[in-house]
PDB file of all heavy atoms in Angstrom:
ATOM      1  N   MET A   1      -2.690 -14.591 -10.711  1.00  0.00           N
ATOM      2  CA  MET A   1      -2.515 -13.284 -10.251  1.00  0.00           C
ATOM      3  C   MET A   1      -2.675 -13.242  -8.605  1.00  0.00           C
ATOM      4  O   MET A   1      -1.882 -12.624  -7.976  1.00  0.00           O
ATOM      5  CB  MET A   1      -3.602 -12.354 -10.719  1.00  0.00           C
ATOM      6  CG  MET A   1      -3.121 -11.836 -12.166  1.00  0.00           C
ATOM      7  SD  MET A   1      -1.645 -10.742 -12.024  1.00  0.00           S
ATOM      8  CE  MET A   1      -2.149  -9.516 -10.850  1.00  0.00           C
ATOM      9  N   GLY A   2      -3.578 -14.044  -8.161  1.00  0.00           N
ATOM     10  CA  GLY A   2      -3.751 -14.118  -6.735  1.00  0.00           C
ATOM     11  C   GLY A   2      -2.549 -14.692  -6.034  1.00  0.00           C
ATOM     12  O   GLY A   2      -2.283 -14.398  -4.869  1.00  0.00           O
ATOM     13  N   ALA A   3      -1.828 -15.426  -6.601  1.00  0.00           N
ATOM     14  CA  ALA A   3      -0.564 -15.976  -6.071  1.00  0.00           C
ATOM     15  C   ALA A   3       0.670 -15.217  -6.191  1.00  0.00           C
ATOM     16  O   ALA A   3       1.587 -15.169  -5.317  1.00  0.00           O
ATOM     17  CB  ALA A   3      -0.265 -17.346  -6.762  1.00  0.00           C
ATOM     18  N   VAL A   4       0.591 -14.201  -7.150  1.00  0.00           N
ATOM     19  CA  VAL A   4       1.992 -13.306  -7.275  1.00  0.00           C
ATOM     20  C   VAL A   4       1.724 -11.846  -6.884  1.00  0.00           C
ATOM     21  O   VAL A   4       2.648 -11.144  -6.911  1.00  0.00           O
ATOM     22  CB  VAL A   4       2.498 -13.459  -8.812  1.00  0.00           C
ATOM     23  CG1 VAL A   4       2.639 -14.908  -9.194  1.00  0.00           C
ATOM     24  CG2 VAL A   4       1.447 -12.852  -9.768  1.00  0.00           C
ATOM     25  N   ALA A   5       0.446 -11.498  -6.718  1.00  0.00           N
ATOM     26  CA  ALA A   5       0.185 -10.100  -6.453  1.00  0.00           C
ATOM     27  C   ALA A   5       0.885  -9.643  -5.220  1.00  0.00           C
ATOM     28  O   ALA A   5       0.767 -10.290  -4.217  1.00  0.00           O
ATOM     29  CB  ALA A   5      -1.399  -9.796  -6.374  1.00  0.00           C
ATOM     30  N   ASN A   6       1.674  -8.520  -5.301  1.00  0.00           N
ATOM     31  CA  ASN A   6       2.460  -7.977  -4.168  1.00  0.00           C
ATOM     32  C   ASN A   6       2.423  -6.493  -3.844  1.00  0.00           C
ATOM     33  O   ASN A   6       3.020  -6.017  -3.087  1.00  0.00           O
ATOM     34  CB  ASN A   6       3.963  -8.457  -4.342  1.00  0.00           C
ATOM     35  CG  ASN A   6       4.548  -7.876  -5.594  1.00  0.00           C
ATOM     36  OD1 ASN A   6       3.866  -7.055  -6.266  1.00  0.00           O
ATOM     37  ND2 ASN A   6       5.727  -8.168  -5.886  1.00  0.00           N
ATOM     38  N   ILE A   7       1.534  -5.823  -4.645  1.00  0.00           N
ATOM     39  CA  ILE A   7       1.578  -4.399  -4.599  1.00  0.00           C
ATOM     40  C   ILE A   7       1.030  -3.900  -3.196  1.00  0.00           C
ATOM     41  O   ILE A   7       1.688  -3.005  -2.678  1.00  0.00           O
ATOM     42  CB  ILE A   7       0.755  -3.837  -5.774  1.00  0.00           C
ATOM     43  CG1 ILE A   7       1.337  -4.254  -7.130  1.00  0.00           C
ATOM     44  CG2 ILE A   7       0.598  -2.286  -5.531  1.00  0.00           C
ATOM     45  CD1 ILE A   7       0.579  -3.805  -8.313  1.00  0.00           C
ATOM     46  N   ARG A   8       0.039  -4.342  -2.725  1.00  0.00           N
ATOM     47  CA  ARG A   8      -0.506  -3.933  -1.411  1.00  0.00           C
ATOM     48  C   ARG A   8       0.562  -4.031  -0.350  1.00  0.00           C
ATOM     49  O   ARG A   8       0.809  -3.158   0.349  1.00  0.00           O
ATOM     50  CB  ARG A   8      -1.820  -4.613  -1.187  1.00  0.00           C
ATOM     51  CG  ARG A   8      -2.367  -4.228   0.313  1.00  0.00           C
ATOM     52  CD  ARG A   8      -3.707  -4.839   0.539  1.00  0.00           C
ATOM     53  NE  ARG A   8      -4.146  -4.448   1.932  1.00  0.00           N
ATOM     54  CZ  ARG A   8      -5.330  -4.816   2.357  1.00  0.00           C
ATOM     55  NH1 ARG A   8      -6.200  -5.712   1.592  1.00  0.00           N
ATOM     56  NH2 ARG A   8      -5.617  -4.602   3.582  1.00  0.00           N
ATOM     57  N   ASP A   9       1.079  -5.275  -0.245  1.00  0.00           N
ATOM     58  CA  ASP A   9       2.115  -5.560   0.773  1.00  0.00           C
ATOM     59  C   ASP A   9       3.261  -4.572   0.615  1.00  0.00           C
ATOM     60  O   ASP A   9       3.858  -4.202   1.545  1.00  0.00           O
ATOM     61  CB  ASP A   9       2.533  -7.011   0.741  1.00  0.00           C
ATOM     62  CG  ASP A   9       1.402  -7.936   1.174  1.00  0.00           C
ATOM     63  OD1 ASP A   9       0.499  -7.500   1.896  1.00  0.00           O
ATOM     64  OD2 ASP A   9       1.517  -9.206   0.898  1.00  0.00           O
ATOM     65  N   TYR A  10       3.749  -4.408  -0.601  1.00  0.00           N
ATOM     66  CA  TYR A  10       4.874  -3.559  -0.954  1.00  0.00           C
ATOM     67  C   TYR A  10       4.625  -2.129  -0.455  1.00  0.00           C
ATOM     68  O   TYR A  10       5.505  -1.555   0.120  1.00  0.00           O
ATOM     69  CB  TYR A  10       5.242  -3.667  -2.449  1.00  0.00           C
ATOM     70  CG  TYR A  10       6.414  -2.831  -2.850  1.00  0.00           C
ATOM     71  CD1 TYR A  10       7.673  -3.455  -2.840  1.00  0.00           C
ATOM     72  CD2 TYR A  10       6.305  -1.483  -3.293  1.00  0.00           C
ATOM     73  CE1 TYR A  10       8.823  -2.795  -3.098  1.00  0.00           C
ATOM     74  CE2 TYR A  10       7.493  -0.836  -3.602  1.00  0.00           C
ATOM     75  CZ  TYR A  10       8.712  -1.548  -3.536  1.00  0.00           C
ATOM     76  OH  TYR A  10       9.929  -0.779  -3.880  1.00  0.00           O
ATOM     77  N   VAL A  11       3.506  -1.567  -0.717  1.00  0.00           N
ATOM     78  CA  VAL A  11       3.107  -0.226  -0.448  1.00  0.00           C
ATOM     79  C   VAL A  11       2.955  -0.048   1.182  1.00  0.00           C
ATOM     80  O   VAL A  11       3.543   0.869   1.862  1.00  0.00           O
ATOM     81  CB  VAL A  11       1.888   0.216  -1.013  1.00  0.00           C
ATOM     82  CG1 VAL A  11       1.460   1.557  -0.591  1.00  0.00           C
ATOM     83  CG2 VAL A  11       2.012   0.215  -2.553  1.00  0.00           C
ATOM     84  N   GLU A  12       2.295  -1.037   1.806  1.00  0.00           N
ATOM     85  CA  GLU A  12       2.073  -0.985   3.218  1.00  0.00           C
ATOM     86  C   GLU A  12       3.396  -1.085   3.957  1.00  0.00           C
ATOM     87  O   GLU A  12       3.538  -0.445   5.129  1.00  0.00           O
ATOM     88  CB  GLU A  12       1.178  -2.046   3.670  1.00  0.00           C
ATOM     89  CG  GLU A  12      -0.283  -1.947   3.317  1.00  0.00           C
ATOM     90  CD  GLU A  12      -1.225  -2.983   3.780  1.00  0.00           C
ATOM     91  OE1 GLU A  12      -0.666  -4.016   4.263  1.00  0.00           O
ATOM     92  OE2 GLU A  12      -2.413  -2.748   3.853  1.00  0.00           O
ATOM     93  N   ALA A  13       4.445  -1.667   3.324  1.00  0.00           N
ATOM     94  CA  ALA A  13       5.779  -1.721   3.970  1.00  0.00           C
ATOM     95  C   ALA A  13       6.516  -0.460   3.776  1.00  0.00           C
ATOM     96  O   ALA A  13       7.670  -0.312   4.355  1.00  0.00           O
ATOM     97  CB  ALA A  13       6.519  -2.923   3.464  1.00  0.00           C
ATOM     98  N   ARG A  14       6.004   0.403   2.979  1.00  0.00           N
ATOM     99  CA  ARG A  14       6.812   1.760   2.661  1.00  0.00           C
ATOM    100  C   ARG A  14       5.843   2.873   2.944  1.00  0.00           C
ATOM    101  O   ARG A  14       5.710   3.729   2.000  1.00  0.00           O
ATOM    102  CB  ARG A  14       7.288   1.651   1.161  1.00  0.00           C
ATOM    103  CG  ARG A  14       8.500   0.553   1.107  1.00  0.00           C
ATOM    104  CD  ARG A  14       8.600   0.196  -0.289  1.00  0.00           C
ATOM    105  NE  ARG A  14       9.677  -0.686  -0.467  1.00  0.00           N
ATOM    106  CZ  ARG A  14       9.614  -2.008  -0.202  1.00  0.00           C
ATOM    107  NH1 ARG A  14       8.403  -2.547   0.189  1.00  0.00           N
ATOM    108  NH2 ARG A  14      10.623  -2.854  -0.260  1.00  0.00           N
ATOM    109  N   ARG A  15       5.150   2.916   3.987  1.00  0.00           N
ATOM    110  CA  ARG A  15       4.291   4.046   4.352  1.00  0.00           C
ATOM    111  C   ARG A  15       4.978   5.460   4.336  1.00  0.00           C
ATOM    112  O   ARG A  15       4.196   6.448   4.112  1.00  0.00           O
ATOM    113  CB  ARG A  15       3.611   3.832   5.637  1.00  0.00           C
ATOM    114  CG  ARG A  15       2.604   2.624   5.610  1.00  0.00           C
ATOM    115  CD  ARG A  15       1.950   2.330   6.835  1.00  0.00           C
ATOM    116  NE  ARG A  15       0.913   1.377   6.822  1.00  0.00           N
ATOM    117  CZ  ARG A  15      -0.386   1.506   6.666  1.00  0.00           C
ATOM    118  NH1 ARG A  15      -0.736   2.818   6.632  1.00  0.00           N
ATOM    119  NH2 ARG A  15      -1.181   0.568   6.573  1.00  0.00           N
ATOM    120  N   ASN A  16       6.247   5.497   4.381  1.00  0.00           N
ATOM    121  CA  ASN A  16       6.826   6.904   4.453  1.00  0.00           C
ATOM    122  C   ASN A  16       7.184   7.324   2.994  1.00  0.00           C
ATOM    123  O   ASN A  16       7.608   8.403   2.813  1.00  0.00           O
ATOM    124  CB  ASN A  16       8.170   6.707   5.288  1.00  0.00           C
ATOM    125  CG  ASN A  16       7.910   6.566   6.680  1.00  0.00           C
ATOM    126  OD1 ASN A  16       6.923   7.053   7.230  1.00  0.00           O
ATOM    127  ND2 ASN A  16       8.778   5.944   7.446  1.00  0.00           N
ATOM    128  N   ASP A  17       6.958   6.533   2.003  1.00  0.00           N
ATOM    129  CA  ASP A  17       7.173   6.839   0.646  1.00  0.00           C
ATOM    130  C   ASP A  17       5.869   7.487   0.139  1.00  0.00           C
ATOM    131  O   ASP A  17       4.960   6.739  -0.382  1.00  0.00           O
ATOM    132  CB  ASP A  17       7.493   5.542  -0.150  1.00  0.00           C
ATOM    133  CG  ASP A  17       7.941   5.943  -1.644  1.00  0.00           C
ATOM    134  OD1 ASP A  17       7.482   7.043  -2.186  1.00  0.00           O
ATOM    135  OD2 ASP A  17       8.664   5.077  -2.198  1.00  0.00           O
ATOM    136  N   LYS A  18       5.800   8.833   0.214  1.00  0.00           N
ATOM    137  CA  LYS A  18       4.454   9.529   0.052  1.00  0.00           C
ATOM    138  C   LYS A  18       4.129   9.486  -1.547  1.00  0.00           C
ATOM    139  O   LYS A  18       2.977   9.159  -1.805  1.00  0.00           O
ATOM    140  CB  LYS A  18       4.684  10.921   0.314  1.00  0.00           C
ATOM    141  CG  LYS A  18       4.851  11.287   1.841  1.00  0.00           C
ATOM    142  CD  LYS A  18       3.642  10.627   2.566  1.00  0.00           C
ATOM    143  CE  LYS A  18       3.768  10.920   4.109  1.00  0.00           C
ATOM    144  NZ  LYS A  18       2.592  10.344   4.790  1.00  0.00           N
ATOM    145  N   PRO A  19       4.953   9.511  -2.491  1.00  0.00           N
ATOM    146  CA  PRO A  19       4.484   9.407  -3.939  1.00  0.00           C
ATOM    147  C   PRO A  19       4.003   8.038  -4.159  1.00  0.00           C
ATOM    148  O   PRO A  19       3.038   7.762  -4.860  1.00  0.00           O
ATOM    149  CB  PRO A  19       5.915   9.654  -4.752  1.00  0.00           C
ATOM    150  CG  PRO A  19       6.661  10.551  -3.828  1.00  0.00           C
ATOM    151  CD  PRO A  19       6.367   9.918  -2.394  1.00  0.00           C
ATOM    152  N   LEU A  20       4.675   6.992  -3.597  1.00  0.00           N
ATOM    153  CA  LEU A  20       4.216   5.592  -3.880  1.00  0.00           C
ATOM    154  C   LEU A  20       2.792   5.409  -3.153  1.00  0.00           C
ATOM    155  O   LEU A  20       1.923   4.931  -3.768  1.00  0.00           O
ATOM    156  CB  LEU A  20       5.159   4.582  -3.085  1.00  0.00           C
ATOM    157  CG  LEU A  20       4.743   3.184  -3.122  1.00  0.00           C
ATOM    158  CD1 LEU A  20       4.771   2.589  -4.466  1.00  0.00           C
ATOM    159  CD2 LEU A  20       5.768   2.394  -2.334  1.00  0.00           C
ATOM    160  N   CYS A  21       2.635   5.823  -1.914  1.00  0.00           N
ATOM    161  CA  CYS A  21       1.352   5.697  -1.227  1.00  0.00           C
ATOM    162  C   CYS A  21       0.224   6.498  -2.018  1.00  0.00           C
ATOM    163  O   CYS A  21      -0.854   6.025  -2.071  1.00  0.00           O
ATOM    164  CB  CYS A  21       1.519   6.105   0.288  1.00  0.00           C
ATOM    165  SG  CYS A  21       2.504   5.150   1.219  1.00  0.00           S
ATOM    166  N   LEU A  22       0.629   7.599  -2.515  1.00  0.00           N
ATOM    167  CA  LEU A  22      -0.460   8.382  -3.110  1.00  0.00           C
ATOM    168  C   LEU A  22      -0.888   7.746  -4.459  1.00  0.00           C
ATOM    169  O   LEU A  22      -2.117   7.809  -4.686  1.00  0.00           O
ATOM    170  CB  LEU A  22       0.124   9.846  -3.476  1.00  0.00           C
ATOM    171  CG  LEU A  22      -0.746  10.783  -4.183  1.00  0.00           C
ATOM    172  CD1 LEU A  22      -2.052  11.111  -3.424  1.00  0.00           C
ATOM    173  CD2 LEU A  22      -0.113  12.188  -4.537  1.00  0.00           C
ATOM    174  N   ALA A  23       0.038   7.220  -5.115  1.00  0.00           N
ATOM    175  CA  ALA A  23      -0.328   6.535  -6.350  1.00  0.00           C
ATOM    176  C   ALA A  23      -1.154   5.416  -6.162  1.00  0.00           C
ATOM    177  O   ALA A  23      -2.174   5.043  -6.824  1.00  0.00           O
ATOM    178  CB  ALA A  23       0.933   6.204  -7.121  1.00  0.00           C
ATOM    179  N   TYR A  24      -0.806   4.552  -5.130  1.00  0.00           N
ATOM    180  CA  TYR A  24      -1.650   3.455  -4.733  1.00  0.00           C
ATOM    181  C   TYR A  24      -3.072   3.714  -4.220  1.00  0.00           C
ATOM    182  O   TYR A  24      -4.058   3.262  -4.649  1.00  0.00           O
ATOM    183  CB  TYR A  24      -0.942   2.594  -3.623  1.00  0.00           C
ATOM    184  CG  TYR A  24      -1.648   1.430  -3.116  1.00  0.00           C
ATOM    185  CD1 TYR A  24      -1.859   0.315  -3.801  1.00  0.00           C
ATOM    186  CD2 TYR A  24      -2.298   1.437  -1.837  1.00  0.00           C
ATOM    187  CE1 TYR A  24      -2.617  -0.828  -3.351  1.00  0.00           C
ATOM    188  CE2 TYR A  24      -3.027   0.373  -1.325  1.00  0.00           C
ATOM    189  CZ  TYR A  24      -3.186  -0.728  -2.086  1.00  0.00           C
ATOM    190  OH  TYR A  24      -3.903  -1.828  -1.601  1.00  0.00           O
ATOM    191  N   ASP A  25      -3.028   4.781  -3.374  1.00  0.00           N
ATOM    192  CA  ASP A  25      -4.429   5.311  -2.852  1.00  0.00           C
ATOM    193  C   ASP A  25      -5.252   5.831  -3.976  1.00  0.00           C
ATOM    194  O   ASP A  25      -6.405   5.707  -4.033  1.00  0.00           O
ATOM    195  CB  ASP A  25      -4.206   6.394  -1.761  1.00  0.00           C
ATOM    196  CG  ASP A  25      -3.756   5.765  -0.501  1.00  0.00           C
ATOM    197  OD1 ASP A  25      -3.782   4.569  -0.321  1.00  0.00           O
ATOM    198  OD2 ASP A  25      -3.279   6.458   0.433  1.00  0.00           O
ATOM    199  N   ALA A  26      -4.624   6.572  -5.029  1.00  0.00           N
ATOM    200  CA  ALA A  26      -5.350   7.117  -6.168  1.00  0.00           C
ATOM    201  C   ALA A  26      -5.968   5.923  -6.937  1.00  0.00           C
ATOM    202  O   ALA A  26      -7.145   6.024  -7.324  1.00  0.00           O
ATOM    203  CB  ALA A  26      -4.346   7.840  -7.048  1.00  0.00           C
ATOM    204  N   CYS A  27      -5.350   4.819  -7.014  1.00  0.00           N
ATOM    205  CA  CYS A  27      -5.964   3.616  -7.754  1.00  0.00           C
ATOM    206  C   CYS A  27      -7.196   3.114  -7.043  1.00  0.00           C
ATOM    207  O   CYS A  27      -8.323   2.942  -7.596  1.00  0.00           O
ATOM    208  CB  CYS A  27      -4.937   2.469  -7.809  1.00  0.00           C
ATOM    209  SG  CYS A  27      -3.570   2.722  -8.991  1.00  0.00           S
ATOM    210  N   LEU A  28      -7.004   2.988  -5.737  1.00  0.00           N
ATOM    211  CA  LEU A  28      -8.274   2.653  -4.890  1.00  0.00           C
ATOM    212  C   LEU A  28      -9.319   3.650  -4.925  1.00  0.00           C
ATOM    213  O   LEU A  28     -10.550   3.257  -5.116  1.00  0.00           O
ATOM    214  CB  LEU A  28      -7.937   2.481  -3.439  1.00  0.00           C
ATOM    215  CG  LEU A  28      -6.782   1.306  -3.156  1.00  0.00           C
ATOM    216  CD1 LEU A  28      -6.388   1.286  -1.685  1.00  0.00           C
ATOM    217  CD2 LEU A  28      -7.359  -0.023  -3.583  1.00  0.00           C
ATOM    218  N   ALA A  29      -8.958   4.967  -4.922  1.00  0.00           N
ATOM    219  CA  ALA A  29      -9.953   6.009  -4.980  1.00  0.00           C
ATOM    220  C   ALA A  29     -10.774   5.958  -6.252  1.00  0.00           C
ATOM    221  O   ALA A  29     -11.996   6.151  -6.377  1.00  0.00           O
ATOM    222  CB  ALA A  29      -9.404   7.243  -4.769  1.00  0.00           C
ATOM    223  N   MET A  30      -9.993   5.786  -7.429  1.00  0.00           N
ATOM    224  CA  MET A  30     -10.614   5.678  -8.726  1.00  0.00           C
ATOM    225  C   MET A  30     -11.559   4.644  -8.852  1.00  0.00           C
ATOM    226  O   MET A  30     -12.649   4.720  -9.385  1.00  0.00           O
ATOM    227  CB  MET A  30      -9.638   5.633  -9.917  1.00  0.00           C
ATOM    228  CG  MET A  30      -8.770   6.863  -9.995  1.00  0.00           C
ATOM    229  SD  MET A  30      -9.632   8.425 -10.315  1.00  0.00           S
ATOM    230  CE  MET A  30      -9.832   9.185  -8.731  1.00  0.00           C
ATOM    231  N   LEU A  31     -11.167   3.332  -8.305  1.00  0.00           N
ATOM    232  CA  LEU A  31     -11.973   2.124  -8.372  1.00  0.00           C
ATOM    233  C   LEU A  31     -13.250   2.302  -7.463  1.00  0.00           C
ATOM    234  O   LEU A  31     -14.227   1.887  -7.796  1.00  0.00           O
ATOM    235  CB  LEU A  31     -11.108   1.002  -8.009  1.00  0.00           C
ATOM    236  CG  LEU A  31     -11.772  -0.349  -8.249  1.00  0.00           C
ATOM    237  CD1 LEU A  31     -12.271  -0.541  -9.693  1.00  0.00           C
ATOM    238  CD2 LEU A  31     -10.770  -1.490  -7.950  1.00  0.00           C
ATOM    239  N   GLN A  32     -13.073   2.890  -6.319  1.00  0.00           N
ATOM    240  CA  GLN A  32     -14.086   3.129  -5.505  1.00  0.00           C
ATOM    241  C   GLN A  32     -15.117   4.131  -6.036  1.00  0.00           C
ATOM    242  O   GLN A  32     -16.346   3.920  -5.956  1.00  0.00           O
ATOM    243  CB  GLN A  32     -13.605   3.639  -4.137  1.00  0.00           C
ATOM    244  CG  GLN A  32     -14.714   3.760  -2.963  1.00  0.00           C
ATOM    245  CD  GLN A  32     -14.151   4.279  -1.680  1.00  0.00           C
ATOM    246  OE1 GLN A  32     -13.474   5.386  -1.715  1.00  0.00           O
ATOM    247  NE2 GLN A  32     -14.374   3.578  -0.644  1.00  0.00           N
ATOM    248  N   SER A  33     -14.688   5.191  -6.703  1.00  0.00           N
ATOM    249  CA  SER A  33     -15.485   6.074  -7.427  1.00  0.00           C
ATOM    250  C   SER A  33     -16.284   5.393  -8.421  1.00  0.00           C
ATOM    251  O   SER A  33     -17.503   5.685  -8.586  1.00  0.00           O
ATOM    252  CB  SER A  33     -14.614   7.178  -7.920  1.00  0.00           C
ATOM    253  OG  SER A  33     -15.434   8.120  -8.689  1.00  0.00           O
ATOM    254  N   MET A  34     -15.756   4.563  -9.178  1.00  0.00           N
ATOM    255  CA  MET A  34     -16.374   3.857 -10.211  1.00  0.00           C
ATOM    256  C   MET A  34     -17.545   2.960  -9.581  1.00  0.00           C
ATOM    257  O   MET A  34     -18.620   2.950 -10.197  1.00  0.00           O
ATOM    258  CB  MET A  34     -15.403   3.012 -11.080  1.00  0.00           C
ATOM    259  CG  MET A  34     -16.179   2.254 -12.255  1.00  0.00           C
ATOM    260  SD  MET A  34     -14.968   1.311 -13.298  1.00  0.00           S
ATOM    261  CE  MET A  34     -14.362   0.017 -12.161  1.00  0.00           C
ATOM    262  N   ARG A  35     -17.238   2.340  -8.580  1.00  0.00           N
ATOM    263  CA  ARG A  35     -18.258   1.522  -7.974  1.00  0.00           C
ATOM    264  C   ARG A  35     -19.408   2.321  -7.462  1.00  0.00           C
ATOM    265  O   ARG A  35     -20.588   2.008  -7.352  1.00  0.00           O
ATOM    266  CB  ARG A  35     -17.685   0.636  -6.811  1.00  0.00           C
ATOM    267  CG  ARG A  35     -16.838  -0.486  -7.375  1.00  0.00           C
ATOM    268  CD  ARG A  35     -16.380  -1.489  -6.354  1.00  0.00           C
ATOM    269  NE  ARG A  35     -16.188  -2.786  -6.926  1.00  0.00           N
ATOM    270  CZ  ARG A  35     -15.092  -3.510  -6.936  1.00  0.00           C
ATOM    271  NH1 ARG A  35     -13.996  -3.018  -6.186  1.00  0.00           N
ATOM    272  NH2 ARG A  35     -15.008  -4.709  -7.438  1.00  0.00           N
ATOM    273  N   THR A  36     -19.101   3.581  -6.984  1.00  0.00           N
ATOM    274  CA  THR A  36     -20.192   4.583  -6.455  1.00  0.00           C
ATOM    275  C   THR A  36     -21.014   4.960  -7.643  1.00  0.00           C
ATOM    276  O   THR A  36     -22.231   4.933  -7.556  1.00  0.00           O
ATOM    277  CB  THR A  36     -19.574   5.850  -5.765  1.00  0.00           C
ATOM    278  OG1 THR A  36     -18.876   5.429  -4.650  1.00  0.00           O
ATOM    279  CG2 THR A  36     -20.612   6.661  -5.507  1.00  0.00           C
ATOM    280  N   LYS A  37     -20.415   5.239  -8.920  1.00  0.00           N
ATOM    281  CA  LYS A  37     -21.116   5.505  -9.952  1.00  0.00           C
ATOM    282  C   LYS A  37     -22.038   4.361 -10.436  1.00  0.00           C
ATOM    283  O   LYS A  37     -23.177   4.566 -10.815  1.00  0.00           O
ATOM    284  CB  LYS A  37     -20.148   5.892 -11.129  1.00  0.00           C
ATOM    285  CG  LYS A  37     -19.513   7.253 -10.823  1.00  0.00           C
ATOM    286  CD  LYS A  37     -18.507   7.606 -12.034  1.00  0.00           C
ATOM    287  CE  LYS A  37     -17.708   8.860 -11.672  1.00  0.00           C
ATOM    288  NZ  LYS A  37     -16.684   9.116 -12.674  1.00  0.00           N
ATOM    289  N   HIS A  38     -21.521   3.147 -10.185  1.00  0.00           N
ATOM    290  CA  HIS A  38     -22.265   1.939 -10.606  1.00  0.00           C
ATOM    291  C   HIS A  38     -23.560   1.890  -9.694  1.00  0.00           C
ATOM    292  O   HIS A  38     -24.651   1.458 -10.117  1.00  0.00           O
ATOM    293  CB  HIS A  38     -21.464   0.693 -10.474  1.00  0.00           C
ATOM    294  CG  HIS A  38     -22.088  -0.515 -10.837  1.00  0.00           C
ATOM    295  ND1 HIS A  38     -22.127  -1.694 -10.147  1.00  0.00           N
ATOM    296  CD2 HIS A  38     -22.939  -0.835 -12.075  1.00  0.00           C
ATOM    297  CE1 HIS A  38     -22.748  -2.588 -10.805  1.00  0.00           C
ATOM    298  NE2 HIS A  38     -23.356  -2.184 -11.911  1.00  0.00           N
TER     299      HIS A  38
END
């Protein structure tokens, strides 16, 4: 997975795509929230 993961680079190259960026940021926000709860 570390060799093939491309999602972060893909999103960062398309910062003007608001739905894409929002979906990616939502994943990070949910994971960050879970770590806060932990």
Side-chain angles (χ1 to χ4, degrees):
M1 277 298 304
V4 303
N6 60 3
I7 294 175
R8 177 178 176 177
D9 290 341
Y10 184 84
V11 175
E12 288 184 339
R14 293 161 177 80
R15 289 176 174 266
N16 292 328
D17 188 333
K18 294 302 181 182
L20 174 66
C21 292
L22 178 61
Y24 176 72
D25 286 347
C27 290
L28 296 176
M30 293 300 100
L31 189 56
Q32 188 180 51
S33 173
M34 182 173 68
R35 286 190 156 124
T36 295
K37 293 175 182 177
H38 184 227

